[in-house]
Amino acid sequence: MKRIIFFLAFFAGIFSLTAQEEVQEEQQEGWTKEGNFTLLFNQSAFNDEWTGGGTSNLAGNLLLNYNFNYLKDDITWDNKFILDYGLTKQKTDDFARKTSDRLEFNSIAGKQIKESNWFYSLFLNFRTQITKGYNYDENAETGEIIRTEYTNFLSPAYLQFGPGMLWKKSEDLYVNLSPATGRMILVDSDFTSAPGYVDEDYFGVDAEKSARWELGASISAYAKFGIIENVSMENLLNLYSNYLEDPQNVDIDYTMNMNMKINDYLSTNLIFQAIYDDNAVKGFQIREVFGLGFNYAF
């Protein structure tokens, strides 16, 4: 419960700041499209005489963010596509390792209630990963690193959808509440059919099954705003509670992307993500990426 209160309080603070700074602009009717491509690099190098310790490494992260939104009279439809993929390679490692791997699509359609910021809504969220993910172990006798495939494309994949209420100040500031959210967790049945597999060990899916169905409540929020000149912050928060099993264990997925612009093509980016999903890991999953980025807006 403390972690939920923390994230809600943190995001409420962001929303308060954004709402205060928000300058209401007339949104163009019809389709509006906007995208941004970012390529981040991190690199460290040490020669053989370096006595302070360290391992030479190279890392890269690709981020594609594309929005295509529609407005007609009292009908609004916002769509966001996110592709986030990163690799790192240390000089002493046999394998390159992923630092991020996320493919996500969000869609919210709404019908305005009179002339207010409230809408009847219908939302859909889909997310998965692109390439194989591995667990890494060390052979006690040889010291050799052994990797075992643990995830893959569409394993797992999450699909959420449902009706609700949308509060929308602008395309850069909204909250969607859905008290009747259907959720499917899809996996490759090869992972749940291994000898000795225990029900729900792999992302909550039972033995020899390839899907798990849940019904619950969800909250999704989005806030993007400028902090100071040439520095902007994008925030996404998703909360989900499963009515059918352990509703007190709320899944949390928060992502922050801070862009510090140098010029039209170069920027410094900080990406932070925190995930809590007790079907996957009994604890928080945290990642952070910071580096020099090449940007292309379209």
Side-chain angles (χ1 to χ4, degrees), residues 68-226:
F68 50 105
N69 303 325
Y70 180 78
L71 174 66
K72 181 66 173 178
D73 298 328
D74 61 349
I75 300 296
T76 181
W77 184 20
D78 294 343
N79 302 277
K80 176 180 284 291
F81 175 81
I82 300 171
L83 173 63
D84 186 355
Y85 189 77
L87 291 172
T88 184
K89 177 67 168 66
Q90 293 193 4
K91 184 178 180 181
T92 56
D93 284 353
D94 294 329
F95 309 107
R97 304 196 186 197
K98 292 194 294 185
T99 56
S100 57
D101 188 355
R102 182 172 186 167
L103 180 66
E104 183 168 353
F105 175 69
N106 290 291
S107 184
I108 301 177
K111 179 176 175 57
Q112 191 174 22
I113 302 174
K114 297 181 179 179
E115 295 184 2
S116 69
N117 291 326
W118 286 97
F119 297 74
Y120 300 113
S121 68
L122 183 65
F123 90 100
L124 180 143
N125 170 267
F126 175 79
R127 58 187 172 92
T128 185
Q129 60 181 38
I130 307 167
T131 61
K132 295 179 180 179
Y134 298 92
N135 286 331
Y136 293 86
D137 295 302
E138 183 177 326
N139 188 306
E141 296 180 358
T142 65
E144 179 184 4
I145 298 298
I146 301 172
R147 64 177 187 175
T148 305
E149 183 181 338
Y150 183 67
T151 57
N152 207 333
F153 178 62
L154 297 180
S155 186
Y158 298 87
L159 176 64
Q160 291 184 191
F161 52 91
M165 296 292 294
L166 170 68
W167 180 88
K168 182 179 179 183
K169 182 73 172 178
S170 71
E171 291 183 351
D172 291 333
L173 183 63
Y174 57 81
V175 182
N176 188 70
L177 312 172
S178 178
T181 298
R183 187 191 202 196
M184 291 188 67
I185 303 174
L186 307 173
V187 301
D188 187 334
S189 59
D190 288 347
F191 293 108
T192 62
S193 301
Y197 179 80
V198 178
D199 282 351
E200 300 188 0
D201 257 9
Y202 189 74
F203 297 98
V205 180
D206 289 341
E208 300 184 356
K209 302 294 184 181
S210 60
R212 171 187 171 96
W213 166 257
E214 297 179 351
L215 178 66
S218 69
I219 300 174
S220 58
Y222 177 78
K224 181 181 179 182
F225 61 97

